[in-house]
Amino acid sequence: MYAAALVVVGLGIMLAVPCLTTQIASALPVERAGIAGGLQSATRELGSALGVAVVGTVLTAGFTHHLPAGLGEHTPPPHTVRDALALAPADHAAVTEAFTHGAGTALRVAAPVVLVAGALVVTGARRGQRTVRR
């Protein structure tokens, strides 16, 4: 299931990036193509950094919340799969389950954000096309 979700994310990125590049490049005159390229690069980098930070934070919170009871009682709770497996090597399945639960939660949080952002981009692009036609 997790791999299928990642394939869908990859396909979405593959379909969205050329459209976004076209929209950004066509929004400015030809003599400002460098500005369009820089704007596209900056928004891609900012979106990637924020996306990784948010998804990583939600994944880690979900992972640590669903770890087996008693793990890390006398030490700080583990924040990585490797640390959790070191503390509970016999409970490999529970640690894996905690990670997949955290990853699933992170993708369910990211999905509506991406859906809303995509809707805003499509709406903005359509408004821009209507303005240009008039």
Side-chain angles (χ1 to χ4, degrees):
M1 182 64 181
Y2 181 66
L6 290 179
V7 168
V8 170
V9 168
L11 289 173
I13 291 169
M14 177 188 73
L15 293 171
V17 169
C19 297
L20 291 172
T21 302
T22 301
Q23 287 299 318
I24 291 172
S26 66
L28 294 173
V30 175
E31 61 272 7
R32 298 200 176 205
I35 294 172
L39 181 61
Q40 189 234 4
S41 181
T43 56
R44 185 185 68 236
E45 292 296 329
L46 178 64
S48 296
L50 287 174
V52 167
V54 169
V55 170
T57 300
V58 173
L59 189 150
T60 301
F63 169 64
T64 56
H65 180 72
H66 288 91
L67 283 172
L71 197 62
E73 276 182 355
H74 304 292
T75 61
H79 292 289
T80 66
V81 173
R82 186 173 76 170
D83 293 345
L85 288 173
L87 290 173
D91 212 355
H92 181 62
V95 171
T96 303
E97 179 66 29
F99 177 79
T100 55
H101 188 278
T105 302
L107 289 174
R108 283 190 297 279
V109 166
V113 171
V114 171
L115 183 64
V116 168
L120 290 172
V121 167
V122 169
T123 302
R126 287 189 178 164
R127 282 188 184 152
Q129 287 175 350
R130 283 187 207 133
T131 304
V132 170
R133 288 183 189 159
R134 290 183 187 174

